[in-house]
Amino acid sequence: MRSVCVVGASLAGLLTARALRAQGYDGRLILVGEEIHRPYDRPPLSKDFLRGVLDDADLALESDDEDLDAEWRLGVAAVGLDAAARRVTLSDGTEVEADGIVIATGASARRLPGTDGLAGVHTLRTLDDARALRHDLANAKRIVVIGGGFIGTEVAATACDLGLDVTLVESGQTPLAGVVGAQMAEAIAGLHERRGVRLLRSARVTALTGEERVDAVRLADGTLLPADVVVVGIGASPNIAWLTGSGLLLGDGVLCDEGGAAIRDESGGQARENGGGKGGGPAAGIVAVGDCAAWFDPAIGRHDRCEHWTGARQRAAVAAETLLSGGVARPARPRPAYIWSDQFDVKIQFVGRARHADTVVVEEGDPADHSFLAVYRQGERPVAVLGVNQVRLFSRWRRQLETAV
């Protein structure tokens, strides 16, 4: 293999490029990125960057002495791929052909319909998003956060620390229940409520009001929530539209085997996992990583799109090995998914899958004190662990779960 094109110059793309070099690849390396920025760290965007503790330079993922010997094509998007020819078409009209292609185009924040052009309404996914939100928060008194996932809860906590009046609107019963389960999600919800966040549960947003700038959020029950700033945190969609007609199998992301090799679409159209396409074997010389990639996970028997920082880190080396070996290398069984989040002065850590558990028991500390560790079990077997301000004990449990894999 003499040339590799990495499409996507964020964390997953950068880590895969590093892994390629570390595994002995010394050929031509091209990194294509839609943003004008060099790779940067996204987790701080909703926390210390919004607080003003960190600035742009603090987010840089590249070290001063790093030299990937790569060609950088920044500020240009990929708009098409011919998988058979391994040819990428870019938004500036140029094309890049390579022996190997790494798809790492990430995901985009979902938006509320009808809110484009309304000032004061934000999503948070990119550095430019975070800059705009930080500017607005500096002049705001009231913020409404729509969505109780990690972005929503982190922004709510940060805004509360900044002294704003914060309302968090959650469509389900409890924020983060889909990750940590309903019982433990109540403990996290209690943290927010005790710190001053107004939490509205099972609430549905029907409209944002305001002419040029948002001034309120209207709920289905008629409640009107005044707002100077609104943050929409309702999830993200994989950036795969540019791959329509490429010859790759698409579903909730680029569908891949357990080693990250993209799967061919033998139906000739854009596929969905529910039967909308017919998958063939691996597409020669093409892998996908990061938020846009749905790898087959033998532990759960289906494709899984992992949107977390550690998922990108763990899968990058595997994808590089798959690409360089021509798909011959067989990956080790994946480690349990690990997630962390900093909210207020609390570090939340989670490993495993809550939905696999029959029981969950707090084994250390007290949720009311915002310091505890809970173990999730299927029968007698631990399948997940949640630590809240229990870093050392959580680390021991995490190692135990990873060893058991």
Short mmCIF file of all heavy atoms in Angstrom, two decimals, residues 1 3-8 12-13 15-17 19-20 23 29 81 83 86 88 98-106 239-240 242-243 246 248-250 253-264 281-295 315-331:
data_model
loop_
_atom_site.label_atom_id
_atom_site.label_comp_id
_atom_site.label_asym_id
_atom_site.label_seq_id
_atom_site.Cartn_x
_atom_site.Cartn_y
_atom_site.Cartn_z
N MET A 1 0.85 -1.19 0.00
CA MET A 1 0.00 0.00 0.00
C MET A 1 0.88 1.24 0.00
O MET A 1 1.70 1.42 0.90
CB MET A 1 -0.93 -0.03 1.22
CG MET A 1 -1.95 1.10 1.24
SD MET A 1 -3.25 0.83 2.46
CE MET A 1 -4.16 -0.52 1.71
N SER A 3 -0.43 4.57 -0.77
CA SER A 3 -1.11 5.83 -0.47
C SER A 3 -2.38 5.56 0.33
O SER A 3 -3.09 4.58 0.08
CB SER A 3 -1.47 6.58 -1.77
OG SER A 3 -2.29 5.77 -2.60
N VAL A 4 -2.63 6.42 1.31
CA VAL A 4 -3.85 6.33 2.13
C VAL A 4 -4.45 7.73 2.25
O VAL A 4 -3.73 8.70 2.53
CB VAL A 4 -3.56 5.79 3.54
CG1 VAL A 4 -4.81 5.86 4.41
CG2 VAL A 4 -3.05 4.34 3.48
N CYS A 5 -5.74 7.83 2.03
CA CYS A 5 -6.48 9.08 2.21
C CYS A 5 -7.40 8.93 3.40
O CYS A 5 -8.27 8.05 3.42
CB CYS A 5 -7.28 9.43 0.96
SG CYS A 5 -8.25 10.96 1.11
N VAL A 6 -7.21 9.77 4.41
CA VAL A 6 -8.06 9.80 5.60
C VAL A 6 -9.06 10.93 5.42
O VAL A 6 -8.67 12.11 5.36
CB VAL A 6 -7.23 10.01 6.88
CG1 VAL A 6 -8.15 10.05 8.10
CG2 VAL A 6 -6.18 8.92 7.03
N VAL A 7 -10.33 10.59 5.30
CA VAL A 7 -11.37 11.60 5.08
C VAL A 7 -12.01 11.92 6.42
O VAL A 7 -12.82 11.17 6.94
CB VAL A 7 -12.43 11.09 4.08
CG1 VAL A 7 -13.39 12.22 3.74
CG2 VAL A 7 -11.78 10.55 2.82
N GLY A 8 -11.62 13.05 6.98
CA GLY A 8 -12.08 13.45 8.31
C GLY A 8 -10.87 13.72 9.18
O GLY A 8 -10.14 12.79 9.55
N ALA A 12 -10.85 10.78 15.41
CA ALA A 12 -10.75 9.43 14.86
C ALA A 12 -9.81 9.38 13.67
O ALA A 12 -9.01 8.45 13.52
CB ALA A 12 -12.14 8.92 14.47
N GLY A 13 -9.89 10.39 12.79
CA GLY A 13 -9.01 10.42 11.64
C GLY A 13 -7.55 10.58 12.04
O GLY A 13 -6.66 9.90 11.52
N LEU A 15 -6.15 9.84 14.97
CA LEU A 15 -5.67 8.64 15.66
C LEU A 15 -5.39 7.50 14.69
O LEU A 15 -4.44 6.73 14.87
CB LEU A 15 -6.69 8.20 16.71
CG LEU A 15 -6.87 9.12 17.91
CD1 LEU A 15 -7.96 8.58 18.83
CD2 LEU A 15 -5.57 9.29 18.67
N THR A 16 -6.19 7.38 13.65
CA THR A 16 -5.95 6.33 12.66
C THR A 16 -4.68 6.63 11.86
O THR A 16 -3.90 5.72 11.56
CB THR A 16 -7.16 6.16 11.73
OG1 THR A 16 -8.34 5.97 12.52
CG2 THR A 16 -6.98 4.96 10.83
N ALA A 17 -4.48 7.90 11.54
CA ALA A 17 -3.24 8.29 10.84
C ALA A 17 -2.03 7.97 11.71
O ALA A 17 -1.01 7.44 11.22
CB ALA A 17 -3.29 9.78 10.50
N ALA A 19 -1.88 5.69 14.03
CA ALA A 19 -1.77 4.24 14.12
C ALA A 19 -1.13 3.66 12.86
O ALA A 19 -0.33 2.72 12.93
CB ALA A 19 -3.15 3.62 14.36
N LEU A 20 -1.47 4.20 11.70
CA LEU A 20 -0.86 3.74 10.46
C LEU A 20 0.66 3.92 10.50
O LEU A 20 1.42 3.00 10.16
CB LEU A 20 -1.45 4.50 9.27
CG LEU A 20 -2.88 4.14 8.87
CD1 LEU A 20 -3.46 5.20 7.93
CD2 LEU A 20 -2.93 2.76 8.21
N GLN A 23 2.30 1.55 12.95
CA GLN A 23 2.32 0.16 12.49
C GLN A 23 3.21 -0.04 11.26
O GLN A 23 3.19 -1.10 10.64
CB GLN A 23 0.89 -0.30 12.21
CG GLN A 23 0.04 -0.41 13.47
CD GLN A 23 -1.40 -0.79 13.20
OE1 GLN A 23 -1.72 -1.43 12.20
NE2 GLN A 23 -2.30 -0.40 14.09
N LEU A 29 0.37 9.97 2.76
CA LEU A 29 -0.75 10.07 3.70
C LEU A 29 -1.43 11.41 3.51
O LEU A 29 -0.80 12.46 3.68
CB LEU A 29 -0.25 9.92 5.14
CG LEU A 29 -1.27 9.96 6.27
CD1 LEU A 29 -2.28 8.81 6.14
CD2 LEU A 29 -0.57 9.87 7.62
N LEU A 81 -17.74 9.37 -3.20
CA LEU A 81 -16.75 8.31 -3.17
C LEU A 81 -17.12 7.23 -4.18
O LEU A 81 -18.27 6.79 -4.22
CB LEU A 81 -16.66 7.69 -1.77
CG LEU A 81 -15.82 6.41 -1.64
CD1 LEU A 81 -14.34 6.72 -1.86
CD2 LEU A 81 -16.03 5.75 -0.29
N ALA A 83 -16.19 3.66 -4.38
CA ALA A 83 -15.50 2.68 -3.55
C ALA A 83 -14.67 1.72 -4.38
O ALA A 83 -13.58 1.32 -3.96
CB ALA A 83 -16.52 1.92 -2.71
N ARG A 86 -11.68 3.54 -5.31
CA ARG A 86 -11.10 4.21 -4.15
C ARG A 86 -10.70 5.65 -4.52
O ARG A 86 -9.56 6.09 -4.37
CB ARG A 86 -9.92 3.42 -3.59
CG ARG A 86 -10.34 2.10 -2.97
CD ARG A 86 -9.23 1.44 -2.19
NE ARG A 86 -8.17 0.94 -3.03
CZ ARG A 86 -8.21 -0.22 -3.72
NH1 ARG A 86 -9.29 -0.99 -3.64
NH2 ARG A 86 -7.18 -0.60 -4.45
N VAL A 88 -11.99 9.66 -4.05
CA VAL A 88 -12.78 10.62 -3.27
C VAL A 88 -12.90 11.92 -4.06
O VAL A 88 -11.89 12.46 -4.53
CB VAL A 88 -12.13 10.91 -1.90
CG1 VAL A 88 -12.97 11.90 -1.11
CG2 VAL A 88 -11.94 9.61 -1.11
N ALA A 98 -6.50 6.76 -3.88
CA ALA A 98 -5.54 6.17 -2.94
C ALA A 98 -5.73 4.67 -2.89
O ALA A 98 -6.80 4.15 -3.21
CB ALA A 98 -5.71 6.79 -1.55
N ASP A 99 -4.69 3.97 -2.46
CA ASP A 99 -4.79 2.52 -2.28
C ASP A 99 -5.69 2.19 -1.09
O ASP A 99 -6.35 1.14 -1.07
CB ASP A 99 -3.39 1.93 -2.05
CG ASP A 99 -2.46 2.18 -3.21
OD1 ASP A 99 -2.92 2.14 -4.37
OD2 ASP A 99 -1.26 2.44 -2.97
N GLY A 100 -5.69 3.06 -0.10
CA GLY A 100 -6.51 2.85 1.08
C GLY A 100 -7.30 4.10 1.43
O GLY A 100 -6.82 5.22 1.27
N ILE A 101 -8.53 3.90 1.88
CA ILE A 101 -9.40 5.01 2.28
C ILE A 101 -9.84 4.79 3.73
O ILE A 101 -10.32 3.70 4.08
CB ILE A 101 -10.66 5.11 1.39
CG1 ILE A 101 -10.28 5.29 -0.08
CG2 ILE A 101 -11.57 6.25 1.87
CD1 ILE A 101 -9.67 6.62 -0.42
N VAL A 102 -9.71 5.82 4.55
CA VAL A 102 -10.23 5.81 5.91
C VAL A 102 -11.36 6.81 5.98
O VAL A 102 -11.16 8.01 5.74
CB VAL A 102 -9.14 6.18 6.95
CG1 VAL A 102 -9.75 6.20 8.36
CG2 VAL A 102 -7.98 5.21 6.88
N ILE A 103 -12.57 6.35 6.26
CA ILE A 103 -13.73 7.23 6.38
C ILE A 103 -13.89 7.60 7.85
O ILE A 103 -14.15 6.75 8.70
CB ILE A 103 -15.00 6.55 5.85
CG1 ILE A 103 -14.82 6.18 4.37
CG2 ILE A 103 -16.21 7.45 6.03
CD1 ILE A 103 -15.94 5.30 3.83
N ALA A 104 -13.74 8.89 8.15
CA ALA A 104 -13.81 9.37 9.53
C ALA A 104 -14.51 10.72 9.58
O ALA A 104 -14.03 11.66 10.21
CB ALA A 104 -12.40 9.47 10.12
N THR A 105 -15.65 10.80 8.89
CA THR A 105 -16.32 12.10 8.73
C THR A 105 -17.25 12.47 9.89
O THR A 105 -17.92 13.50 9.84
CB THR A 105 -17.12 12.12 7.40
OG1 THR A 105 -17.82 10.89 7.23
CG2 THR A 105 -16.19 12.31 6.23
N GLY A 106 -17.30 11.65 10.93
CA GLY A 106 -17.99 12.04 12.14
C GLY A 106 -19.50 12.13 12.02
O GLY A 106 -20.12 11.45 11.20
N ASN A 239 -22.39 11.56 9.44
CA ASN A 239 -22.16 12.28 8.18
C ASN A 239 -21.85 11.28 7.06
O ASN A 239 -20.69 11.03 6.73
CB ASN A 239 -21.01 13.27 8.34
CG ASN A 239 -21.36 14.40 9.27
OD1 ASN A 239 -22.49 14.84 9.34
ND2 ASN A 239 -20.37 14.88 10.00
N ILE A 240 -22.91 10.72 6.49
CA ILE A 240 -22.72 9.69 5.46
C ILE A 240 -23.48 10.00 4.17
O ILE A 240 -23.44 9.21 3.23
CB ILE A 240 -23.16 8.30 5.98
CG1 ILE A 240 -24.63 8.33 6.42
CG2 ILE A 240 -22.25 7.84 7.11
CD1 ILE A 240 -25.18 6.98 6.79
N TRP A 242 -22.77 11.92 1.86
CA TRP A 242 -21.82 12.01 0.75
C TRP A 242 -21.46 10.63 0.19
O TRP A 242 -20.91 10.54 -0.91
CB TRP A 242 -20.56 12.75 1.19
CG TRP A 242 -19.69 12.02 2.17
CD1 TRP A 242 -19.90 11.88 3.50
CD2 TRP A 242 -18.46 11.34 1.87
NE1 TRP A 242 -18.89 11.16 4.08
CE2 TRP A 242 -17.99 10.81 3.10
CE3 TRP A 242 -17.72 11.13 0.72
CZ2 TRP A 242 -16.80 10.09 3.20
CZ3 TRP A 242 -16.54 10.41 0.82
CH2 TRP A 242 -16.10 9.89 2.04
N LEU A 243 -21.81 9.57 0.92
CA LEU A 243 -21.48 8.21 0.50
C LEU A 243 -22.62 7.52 -0.25
O LEU A 243 -22.50 6.36 -0.65
CB LEU A 243 -21.09 7.37 1.71
CG LEU A 243 -19.80 7.81 2.41
CD1 LEU A 243 -19.65 7.12 3.75
CD2 LEU A 243 -18.59 7.54 1.52
N SER A 246 -22.07 5.21 -3.31
CA SER A 246 -20.63 4.93 -3.34
C SER A 246 -20.32 3.46 -3.54
O SER A 246 -19.19 3.10 -3.89
CB SER A 246 -19.99 5.38 -2.02
OG SER A 246 -20.52 4.62 -0.93
N LEU A 248 -20.99 1.41 -0.87
CA LEU A 248 -20.86 0.93 0.50
C LEU A 248 -22.22 0.77 1.14
O LEU A 248 -23.17 1.50 0.82
CB LEU A 248 -20.02 1.91 1.34
CG LEU A 248 -18.59 2.18 0.86
CD1 LEU A 248 -17.90 3.12 1.82
CD2 LEU A 248 -17.80 0.87 0.72
N LEU A 249 -22.32 -0.17 2.07
CA LEU A 249 -23.57 -0.43 2.78
C LEU A 249 -23.73 0.59 3.90
O LEU A 249 -22.86 0.73 4.76
CB LEU A 249 -23.56 -1.85 3.35
CG LEU A 249 -24.90 -2.42 3.85
CD1 LEU A 249 -25.88 -2.57 2.71
CD2 LEU A 249 -24.67 -3.75 4.56
N LEU A 250 -24.85 1.30 3.87
CA LEU A 250 -25.11 2.36 4.84
C LEU A 250 -26.33 2.03 5.69
O LEU A 250 -27.31 1.49 5.19
CB LEU A 250 -25.32 3.70 4.14
CG LEU A 250 -24.24 4.14 3.15
CD1 LEU A 250 -24.65 5.44 2.47
CD2 LEU A 250 -22.89 4.29 3.85
N GLY A 253 -24.92 4.84 10.00
CA GLY A 253 -23.50 4.96 9.81
C GLY A 253 -23.02 4.07 8.69
O GLY A 253 -23.81 3.38 8.03
N VAL A 254 -21.72 4.07 8.45
CA VAL A 254 -21.11 3.15 7.49
C VAL A 254 -21.03 1.79 8.15
O VAL A 254 -20.36 1.63 9.18
CB VAL A 254 -19.70 3.61 7.09
CG1 VAL A 254 -19.10 2.67 6.06
CG2 VAL A 254 -19.72 5.04 6.57
N LEU A 255 -21.72 0.79 7.60
CA LEU A 255 -21.72 -0.53 8.22
C LEU A 255 -20.39 -1.23 7.94
O LEU A 255 -19.95 -1.29 6.79
CB LEU A 255 -22.89 -1.36 7.71
CG LEU A 255 -24.29 -0.77 7.94
CD1 LEU A 255 -25.37 -1.81 7.64
CD2 LEU A 255 -24.46 -0.24 9.35
N CYS A 256 -19.78 -1.74 9.01
CA CYS A 256 -18.46 -2.35 8.93
C CYS A 256 -18.46 -3.71 9.62
O CYS A 256 -19.34 -4.01 10.44
CB CYS A 256 -17.42 -1.46 9.64
SG CYS A 256 -17.31 0.23 9.01
N ASP A 257 -17.45 -4.51 9.31
CA ASP A 257 -17.28 -5.75 10.06
C ASP A 257 -16.60 -5.44 11.39
O ASP A 257 -16.36 -4.26 11.72
CB ASP A 257 -16.54 -6.81 9.24
CG ASP A 257 -15.07 -6.44 8.96
OD1 ASP A 257 -14.54 -5.51 9.60
OD2 ASP A 257 -14.47 -7.09 8.09
N GLU A 258 -16.27 -6.47 12.17
CA GLU A 258 -15.74 -6.23 13.52
C GLU A 258 -14.34 -5.64 13.50
O GLU A 258 -13.83 -5.21 14.55
CB GLU A 258 -15.76 -7.51 14.35
CG GLU A 258 -14.96 -8.67 13.77
CD GLU A 258 -15.80 -9.57 12.89
OE1 GLU A 258 -16.74 -9.08 12.21
OE2 GLU A 258 -15.52 -10.79 12.88
N GLY A 259 -13.69 -5.61 12.34
CA GLY A 259 -12.37 -5.00 12.23
C GLY A 259 -12.40 -3.61 11.62
O GLY A 259 -11.35 -3.00 11.41
N GLY A 260 -13.60 -3.10 11.32
CA GLY A 260 -13.72 -1.76 10.76
C GLY A 260 -13.72 -1.70 9.25
O GLY A 260 -13.79 -0.60 8.67
N ALA A 261 -13.64 -2.86 8.56
CA ALA A 261 -13.69 -2.86 7.10
C ALA A 261 -15.10 -2.53 6.65
O ALA A 261 -16.07 -3.16 7.08
CB ALA A 261 -13.27 -4.22 6.56
N ALA A 262 -15.23 -1.53 5.78
CA ALA A 262 -16.55 -1.16 5.26
C ALA A 262 -17.12 -2.30 4.41
O ALA A 262 -16.38 -3.01 3.72
CB ALA A 262 -16.44 0.11 4.42
N ILE A 263 -18.44 -2.48 4.47
CA ILE A 263 -19.11 -3.58 3.77
C ILE A 263 -19.67 -3.07 2.45
O ILE A 263 -20.25 -1.99 2.37
CB ILE A 263 -20.23 -4.17 4.65
CG1 ILE A 263 -19.62 -4.71 5.95
CG2 ILE A 263 -20.99 -5.27 3.91
CD1 ILE A 263 -20.67 -5.11 6.97
N ARG A 264 -19.50 -3.86 1.40
CA ARG A 264 -20.04 -3.50 0.09
C ARG A 264 -21.56 -3.59 0.10
O ARG A 264 -22.17 -4.45 0.74
CB ARG A 264 -19.51 -4.44 -1.00
CG ARG A 264 -18.02 -4.41 -1.21
CD ARG A 264 -17.66 -5.10 -2.53
NE ARG A 264 -18.31 -6.40 -2.65
CZ ARG A 264 -17.80 -7.54 -2.21
NH1 ARG A 264 -16.63 -7.55 -1.60
NH2 ARG A 264 -18.44 -8.69 -2.39
N GLY A 281 -19.29 -8.69 0.89
CA GLY A 281 -18.11 -8.80 1.72
C GLY A 281 -17.48 -7.44 1.96
O GLY A 281 -18.04 -6.39 1.58
N PRO A 282 -16.32 -7.42 2.60
CA PRO A 282 -15.64 -6.15 2.85
C PRO A 282 -15.24 -5.46 1.55
O PRO A 282 -14.85 -6.11 0.58
CB PRO A 282 -14.39 -6.56 3.65
CG PRO A 282 -14.71 -7.92 4.19
CD PRO A 282 -15.61 -8.57 3.18
N ALA A 283 -15.36 -4.14 1.53
CA ALA A 283 -14.91 -3.35 0.39
C ALA A 283 -13.39 -3.25 0.47
O ALA A 283 -12.85 -2.79 1.48
CB ALA A 283 -15.54 -1.97 0.42
N ALA A 284 -12.70 -3.66 -0.56
CA ALA A 284 -11.24 -3.70 -0.53
C ALA A 284 -10.65 -2.32 -0.27
O ALA A 284 -10.99 -1.34 -0.92
CB ALA A 284 -10.71 -4.23 -1.87
N GLY A 285 -9.77 -2.24 0.74
CA GLY A 285 -9.02 -1.02 0.98
C GLY A 285 -9.80 0.11 1.61
O GLY A 285 -9.35 1.26 1.54
N ILE A 286 -10.94 -0.17 2.26
CA ILE A 286 -11.73 0.91 2.85
C ILE A 286 -12.14 0.52 4.27
O ILE A 286 -12.73 -0.54 4.50
CB ILE A 286 -12.99 1.24 2.03
CG1 ILE A 286 -12.62 1.63 0.61
CG2 ILE A 286 -13.79 2.36 2.70
CD1 ILE A 286 -13.80 1.91 -0.29
N VAL A 287 -11.84 1.39 5.23
CA VAL A 287 -12.28 1.21 6.61
C VAL A 287 -13.00 2.48 7.06
O VAL A 287 -12.86 3.54 6.42
CB VAL A 287 -11.09 0.91 7.56
CG1 VAL A 287 -10.42 -0.41 7.20
CG2 VAL A 287 -10.08 2.06 7.55
N ALA A 288 -13.75 2.37 8.15
CA ALA A 288 -14.44 3.54 8.70
C ALA A 288 -14.27 3.54 10.21
O ALA A 288 -14.31 2.48 10.86
CB ALA A 288 -15.92 3.54 8.33
N VAL A 289 -14.09 4.72 10.79
CA VAL A 289 -13.87 4.86 12.23
C VAL A 289 -14.63 6.08 12.75
O VAL A 289 -15.04 6.96 11.99
CB VAL A 289 -12.37 5.02 12.56
CG1 VAL A 289 -11.61 3.74 12.29
CG2 VAL A 289 -11.76 6.18 11.78
N GLY A 290 -14.78 6.14 14.07
CA GLY A 290 -15.38 7.31 14.69
C GLY A 290 -16.89 7.31 14.65
O GLY A 290 -17.54 6.28 14.47
N ASP A 291 -17.46 8.50 14.79
CA ASP A 291 -18.91 8.65 14.96
C ASP A 291 -19.71 8.27 13.73
O ASP A 291 -20.92 8.10 13.81
CB ASP A 291 -19.24 10.11 15.32
CG ASP A 291 -18.70 10.51 16.67
OD1 ASP A 291 -18.14 9.65 17.38
OD2 ASP A 291 -18.82 11.70 17.03
N CYS A 292 -19.07 8.17 12.57
CA CYS A 292 -19.80 7.82 11.34
C CYS A 292 -19.81 6.32 11.08
O CYS A 292 -20.45 5.87 10.13
CB CYS A 292 -19.19 8.53 10.13
SG CYS A 292 -17.54 7.94 9.69
N ALA A 293 -19.12 5.54 11.91
CA ALA A 293 -18.92 4.12 11.63
C ALA A 293 -19.72 3.23 12.57
O ALA A 293 -19.68 3.42 13.79
CB ALA A 293 -17.44 3.78 11.74
N ALA A 294 -20.43 2.27 12.01
CA ALA A 294 -21.18 1.29 12.81
C ALA A 294 -20.52 -0.08 12.62
O ALA A 294 -20.74 -0.75 11.61
CB ALA A 294 -22.64 1.25 12.37
N TRP A 295 -19.71 -0.47 13.58
CA TRP A 295 -18.98 -1.74 13.51
C TRP A 295 -19.87 -2.87 14.02
O TRP A 295 -20.66 -2.69 14.96
CB TRP A 295 -17.73 -1.68 14.37
CG TRP A 295 -16.62 -0.85 13.82
CD1 TRP A 295 -16.73 0.23 12.98
CD2 TRP A 295 -15.22 -1.00 14.09
NE1 TRP A 295 -15.50 0.75 12.72
CE2 TRP A 295 -14.55 0.01 13.39
CE3 TRP A 295 -14.49 -1.89 14.85
CZ2 TRP A 295 -13.17 0.16 13.42
CZ3 TRP A 295 -13.11 -1.76 14.90
CH2 TRP A 295 -12.45 -0.75 14.19
N ARG A 315 -10.78 1.99 18.48
CA ARG A 315 -11.00 1.42 17.15
C ARG A 315 -9.99 1.88 16.11
O ARG A 315 -9.82 1.23 15.07
CB ARG A 315 -12.42 1.76 16.68
CG ARG A 315 -13.50 0.99 17.44
CD ARG A 315 -14.89 1.37 16.99
NE ARG A 315 -15.90 0.45 17.52
CZ ARG A 315 -17.20 0.54 17.27
NH1 ARG A 315 -17.65 1.53 16.50
NH2 ARG A 315 -18.04 -0.33 17.78
N ALA A 316 -9.29 2.99 16.35
CA ALA A 316 -8.37 3.52 15.35
C ALA A 316 -7.26 2.53 15.03
O ALA A 316 -6.95 2.28 13.85
CB ALA A 316 -7.79 4.84 15.83
N ALA A 317 -6.64 1.96 16.05
CA ALA A 317 -5.54 1.02 15.83
C ALA A 317 -6.02 -0.24 15.12
O ALA A 317 -5.31 -0.79 14.27
CB ALA A 317 -4.88 0.67 17.16
N VAL A 318 -7.23 -0.68 15.47
CA VAL A 318 -7.80 -1.87 14.82
C VAL A 318 -8.03 -1.61 13.34
O VAL A 318 -7.70 -2.43 12.48
CB VAL A 318 -9.10 -2.29 15.52
CG1 VAL A 318 -9.75 -3.48 14.79
CG2 VAL A 318 -8.86 -2.63 16.98
N ALA A 319 -8.61 -0.45 13.03
CA ALA A 319 -8.89 -0.11 11.64
C ALA A 319 -7.61 0.01 10.82
O ALA A 319 -7.54 -0.43 9.67
CB ALA A 319 -9.68 1.20 11.56
N ALA A 320 -6.57 0.59 11.41
CA ALA A 320 -5.29 0.71 10.72
C ALA A 320 -4.72 -0.67 10.40
O ALA A 320 -4.22 -0.92 9.29
CB ALA A 320 -4.30 1.51 11.56
N GLU A 321 -4.80 -1.59 11.36
CA GLU A 321 -4.30 -2.94 11.15
C GLU A 321 -5.11 -3.66 10.08
O GLU A 321 -4.55 -4.37 9.22
CB GLU A 321 -4.34 -3.72 12.46
CG GLU A 321 -3.69 -5.09 12.37
CD GLU A 321 -3.65 -5.81 13.70
OE1 GLU A 321 -4.30 -5.34 14.65
OE2 GLU A 321 -2.98 -6.86 13.78
N THR A 322 -6.43 -3.47 10.10
CA THR A 322 -7.28 -4.07 9.07
C THR A 322 -6.89 -3.57 7.68
O THR A 322 -6.78 -4.35 6.73
CB THR A 322 -8.76 -3.73 9.35
OG1 THR A 322 -9.15 -4.34 10.58
CG2 THR A 322 -9.67 -4.23 8.24
N LEU A 323 -6.67 -2.27 7.56
CA LEU A 323 -6.33 -1.68 6.27
C LEU A 323 -4.97 -2.19 5.77
O LEU A 323 -4.85 -2.61 4.61
CB LEU A 323 -6.30 -0.15 6.40
CG LEU A 323 -6.22 0.64 5.10
CD1 LEU A 323 -7.44 0.40 4.23
CD2 LEU A 323 -6.09 2.13 5.41
N LEU A 324 -3.98 -2.18 6.64
CA LEU A 324 -2.63 -2.56 6.21
C LEU A 324 -2.48 -4.05 5.95
O LEU A 324 -1.63 -4.46 5.16
CB LEU A 324 -1.61 -2.11 7.26
CG LEU A 324 -1.47 -0.59 7.46
CD1 LEU A 324 -0.46 -0.28 8.54
CD2 LEU A 324 -1.09 0.10 6.16
N SER A 325 -3.32 -4.85 6.60
CA SER A 325 -3.24 -6.30 6.41
C SER A 325 -4.11 -6.79 5.27
O SER A 325 -4.14 -7.99 4.98
CB SER A 325 -3.64 -7.02 7.69
OG SER A 325 -5.05 -6.90 7.92
N GLY A 326 -4.84 -5.88 4.63
CA GLY A 326 -5.76 -6.29 3.58
C GLY A 326 -6.95 -7.06 4.13
O GLY A 326 -7.58 -7.85 3.42
N GLY A 327 -7.27 -6.82 5.41
CA GLY A 327 -8.43 -7.47 6.02
C GLY A 327 -8.12 -8.83 6.61
O GLY A 327 -9.02 -9.49 7.14
N VAL A 328 -6.86 -9.25 6.57
CA VAL A 328 -6.48 -10.57 7.09
C VAL A 328 -6.44 -10.57 8.62
O VAL A 328 -6.81 -11.55 9.27
CB VAL A 328 -5.13 -11.01 6.50
CG1 VAL A 328 -4.65 -12.30 7.15
CG2 VAL A 328 -5.23 -11.16 5.00
N ALA A 329 -5.96 -9.48 9.21
CA ALA A 329 -5.84 -9.42 10.67
C ALA A 329 -7.20 -9.56 11.32
O ALA A 329 -8.18 -8.98 10.86
CB ALA A 329 -5.19 -8.10 11.08
N ARG A 330 -7.26 -10.31 12.40
CA ARG A 330 -8.50 -10.49 13.14
C ARG A 330 -8.39 -9.76 14.47
O ARG A 330 -7.49 -10.04 15.27
CB ARG A 330 -8.79 -11.97 13.39
CG ARG A 330 -9.18 -12.76 12.16
CD ARG A 330 -10.55 -12.29 11.60
NE ARG A 330 -10.41 -11.18 10.66
CZ ARG A 330 -11.43 -10.44 10.23
NH1 ARG A 330 -12.66 -10.67 10.67
NH2 ARG A 330 -11.24 -9.47 9.38
N PRO A 331 -9.28 -8.83 14.75
CA PRO A 331 -9.16 -8.03 15.97
C PRO A 331 -9.49 -8.84 17.22
O PRO A 331 -10.25 -9.82 17.17
CB PRO A 331 -10.20 -6.92 15.76
CG PRO A 331 -11.23 -7.55 14.88
CD PRO A 331 -10.46 -8.45 13.95
#
